[in-house]
Structure formats: C-alpha cells, structure tokens
Amino acid sequence: MTKHNFYAGPAILPKSVLQKASQAILNFSDMDLSLLEISHRSKQFEAVMDESKSLILEIMNLRDDYDVLFMGGGASSQFFMVPMNILKDDETACYVNTGTWASGAIKEARLFGNVNVLASSEDDHFRHIPKGFTIPSDAAYLHLTSNNTIYGSQYQSFPDSPIPLFCDMSSDIFSKRLDFSKFDLIYAGAQKNLGPAGVTIVVLKKSLIGRSARKLPTMLNYKSFSEKGSMYNTPPVFPIYVTMLTLQWIKEIGGLEVVENRNRAKAECLYNEIDRNSCFYGTVEKNDRSWMNVVFVPNNPEHENLFLEACKAEGCVGLAGHRSVGGFRASLYNALELKSVQVLVDVMKRFEEKYA
Ligand SMILES: *Cc1c(COP(=O)(O)O)cnc(C)c1O
C-alpha cells in the first residue's frame, strides 16, 4: 500500500535520495566497497564532505566568512554548545520562547551566562509568535527557533536585530527562500528536512569561533571542528552522505524557489480544508501558522482515534499530535508531495460527510 508519510521526524526523504543512498551502501563510488566500510579519510569520502559544505553555502548564498560544521549530538546538543562556545560568563544572551525546543535552548544557556527571555508565548500555549519585542543592543546574541515543530507555529518574517542573530532551524531549514546572511549562526539536526538522524549542521560566522574563550573539551569546541574540517574524529559518514544527496536534490528540482512554491501549495491545501471542515480546527494564529508542521484538533474529542484510523486506512501515517499536545499534526516536509496532502484532505472531507 502506498504510504503518505506525515511523521514529524525522523521524516520523509525524497525517493531518489533513498535509492542512491541504498546503492552507496552496496557499492560506493564504484569502489566495490560499501560507504559504510571505507575510511572517512579516503579521497572519495573527502569529496562528499567538500561537496556537502559547498552545497550548503551555495544554497544559503553565503560566502566564505561562514564556516559549516558537521557535528553529532543532535540539535539538542547545540542548545548548550552555542552558549558554551560563544557566550562569556558575564554576558547576557537573549532568547524568545516559542515552544518546547526554545525552552530547552533557554534552560541550557543559563548554565553559561545570563539569559534574558525577551518574549514568550507560553501563556497562550505557544499558539502565536511574539512580535514587537525590544532587542537590547548590549547583549551578546539573540537566539530564535524559526519553526515550532510541536505546536505548529513559524516565524513568517524575522526581526531586524542590532546584535548577532542565531537560529535553530531544525524543522524548516531549506523549506523556502530566506536571507540567510541575516543570521550569524544557524543550526539544524538533519532528520527533519535533510537526512537521517545523526548529524547536525552548524553554519556560523568564522569570527564567532572561540569567542567565549572558555576552556573546552576538544569534541565540544567549534574550533576543533572548524580547523579539521569536521574530521577531528570519525564523522557520521552515512548521515552526511544522505544530506549531500538531499542538497543535490534541492538543486536539481530548481532550488529554494521551487521548494518554497511546493511547500506553500501543500500548506494552503491543508489549511484551507481545516478552515472549511466543520470537524476540525487549527490551533495556531493564522499569520503564524507553520508550513512544515500543521497542528489541528477535532471539534469533538471523541473523533480523535476515529480520524487517525480513517487516515491509516488510506495509508496516511504519522498524524498523531505530539504527546504533549494531542490532536493531530501533519508534517509537510520538503520531500512530501502535494498528492499526499490531497489524499489527507480527501480523508478529512469523507470524515466530515460521515461524522459531522
Ligand atoms: C527536533 C528538534 C530539535 C531536537 O533535535 P535533536 O536532533 O533530536 O536533538 C531541536 N529543535 C527543533 C526546532 C526541533 O524540531
């Protein structure tokens, strides 16, 4: 049965990427060896590292005053690595609390300096993105979370910041065009829009590296990764390779403009149905709705399991809301096709006919 994969992460990847990745597990780069059993220092794998890095900078339209690091530990490790590497003890870092992941980043930053939470939508169950807050010009940086994966809100524009702007883009990186040069540091775990779990991309201004002047273990120091091209130790070879294939795919289909148009069409298709259908409603303020994670709930709580069953019967999987929120969440990452969203919309229409 054809499956329509709405999982929030690890998430859907393009079929062609999965095919090439499986081929490389059997015979990588005509070496008659698997990608999984060769040296990461081979020239074939070094080419993968080089191409991954240059594709990221190319798609972001950034120059070589930025470095790209491939790290382990997930985006969650960046919650502490960012302040540990950049914030000095007596400095203040600014954060905006837009949900579970932003809260996690705030908690970890408090270990390394002062934290000023400029704004929070917690009192509103994170149903909107705070706006109009003042950014103090004497703080070390401002950290945002571009897409709130669990509650389904997303910045549709970013504030102009007088201080360096950092962003956790784990769940919407490369989902639309963006002026990436507005940001001084961007990080993203690969497993939502880029590849398998196991690698985290950190893109940062080279001038930030070593800024905190803290004594750090080698493997927690951006400097070691930067100086050694993310090869101080054995990097996560397979996640990096699959990420490279996804980046090639983005370029092949026409770059971020095409990706953006596809994602807009998918989000519109689903939100229009949520707004029309009497069985469901969307929980997030309309202007702040995420294109990546569409969160909605049934008007009748008894419909929750019934609807998930109806979805499953049509091959639509991964639609249960996050355990902390309930309801439904449809993740529409880059590789999900519009026709999968149309199948879901059909299920919603038929559900309404039967149960409304
Ligand atoms: C999933 C997610 C994380 C956590 O990522 P891990 O790689 O599992 O640590 C952090 N931030 C955001 C926005 C996420 O969506």
Side-chain angles (χ1 to χ4, degrees):
M1 171 185 218
T2 308
K3 289 285 167 69
H4 304 282
N5 182 355
F6 293 92
Y7 277 110
I12 185 167
L13 291 168
K15 276 278 170 307
S16 63
V17 165
L18 295 177
Q19 271 152 2
K20 286 178 191 165
S22 23
Q23 178 55 40
I25 287 182
L26 296 171
N27 178 6
F28 175 58
S29 198
D30 289 327
M31 294 171 83
D32 293 318
L33 291 165
S34 168
L35 169 65
L36 306 184
E37 56 182 9
I38 57 156
S39 170
H40 56 293
R41 312 236 176 245
S42 60
K43 70 175 189 326
Q44 288 87 344
F45 189 72
E46 283 196 343
V48 171
M49 291 297 278
D50 290 346
E51 185 171 352
S52 305
K53 179 177 165 178
S54 58
L55 279 170
I56 287 171
L57 291 177
E58 182 187 337
I59 294 172
M60 289 185 157
N61 203 7
L62 295 174
R63 290 169 204 284
D64 57 7
D65 52 333
Y66 284 83
D67 207 349
V68 180
L69 315 179
F70 297 94
M71 306 188 79
S76 300
S77 293
Q78 295 309 314
F79 294 171
F80 71 82
M81 263 192 239
V82 167
M84 189 169 76
N85 277 270
I86 290 169
L87 187 64
K88 296 175 185 154
D89 282 332
D90 57 350
E91 285 183 325
T92 297
C94 297
Y95 282 71
V96 176
N97 187 7
T98 48
T100 310
W101 301 116
S103 307
I106 291 166
K107 173 167 169 265
E108 302 288 282
R110 290 205 166 106
L111 299 170
F112 298 97
N114 305 313
V115 171
N116 181 357
V117 179
L118 299 184
S120 170
S121 48
E122 189 168 10
D123 290 348
D124 180 36
H125 301 286
F126 298 118
R127 280 184 298 221
H128 73 278
I129 297 287
K131 289 169 205 82
F133 47 84
T134 308
I135 306 167
S137 54
D138 57 350
Y141 63 81
L142 168 62
H143 178 285
L144 305 175
T145 309
S146 51
N147 183 65
N148 176 359
T149 325
I150 293 175
Y151 294 85
S153 63
Q154 183 180 31
Y155 285 84
Q156 298 303 339
S157 65
F158 290 94
D160 285 317
S161 176
I163 53 177
L165 189 55
F166 295 2
C167 196
D168 174 1
M169 296 194 185
S170 293
S171 53
D172 66 352
I173 192 159
F174 300 142
S175 63
K176 51 180 153 178
R177 285 172 295 177
L178 189 60
D179 179 5
F180 290 98
S181 70
K182 262 186 108 141
F183 300 89
D184 298 78
L185 183 149
I186 292 164
Y187 61 90
Q191 70 273 19
K192 278 137 191 167
N193 235 348
L194 283 178
V199 68
T200 304
I201 316 294
V202 182
V203 181
L204 80 173
K205 283 246 174 83
K206 285 177 179 165
S207 55
L208 287 171
I209 293 169
R211 187 180 177 284
S212 78
R214 222 174 241 112
K215 280 194 182 146
L216 297 176
T218 310
M219 286 302 293
L220 299 181
N221 195 334
Y222 287 155
K223 201 161 175 234
S224 338
F225 283 77
S226 177
E227 283 175 351
K228 303 283 183 191
S230 302
M231 294 254 248
Y232 176 84
N233 76 328
T234 319
V237 292
F238 187 66
I240 292 173
Y241 181 70
V242 181
T243 297
M244 181 197 77
L245 295 176
T246 308
L247 295 164
Q248 290 173 340
W249 172 82
I250 289 173
K251 257 189 85 171
E252 277 160 27
I253 64 171
L256 292 188
E257 189 177 348
V258 169
V259 171
E260 172 177 328
N261 290 337
R262 289 184 180 189
N263 286 335
R264 180 188 297 106
K266 290 184 291 181
E268 275 175 3
C269 175
L270 184 51
Y271 282 119
N272 285 345
E273 178 59 19
I274 290 170
D275 292 341
R276 188 207 61 76
N277 193 308
S278 62
C279 288
F280 307 98
Y281 70 94
T283 49
V284 172
E285 253 179 45
K286 284 192 180 170
N287 293 332
D288 299 330
R289 284 172 159 179
S290 169
W291 290 16
M292 292 282 100
N293 309 99
V294 177
V295 173
F296 57 110
V297 292
N299 278 313
N300 177 349
E302 283 168 19
H303 284 169
E304 194 154 316
N305 285 331
L306 271 179
F307 180 64
L308 290 174
E309 287 302 317
C311 290
K312 217 171 130 194
E314 297 303 321
C316 295
V317 296
L319 285 153
H322 188 268
R323 57 190 184 280
S324 63
V325 182
F328 314 117
R329 171 173 55 174
S331 297
L332 315 180
Y333 296 117
N334 287 351
L336 186 84
E337 292 187 18
L338 178 61
K339 68 170 193 283
S340 292
V341 181
Q342 286 160 342
V343 170
L344 176 61
V345 164
D346 282 344
V347 177
M348 293 167 76
K349 285 190 202 299
R350 270 181 275 132
F351 193 84
E352 185 187 33
E353 280 162 19
K354 200 160 167 194
Y355 296 104

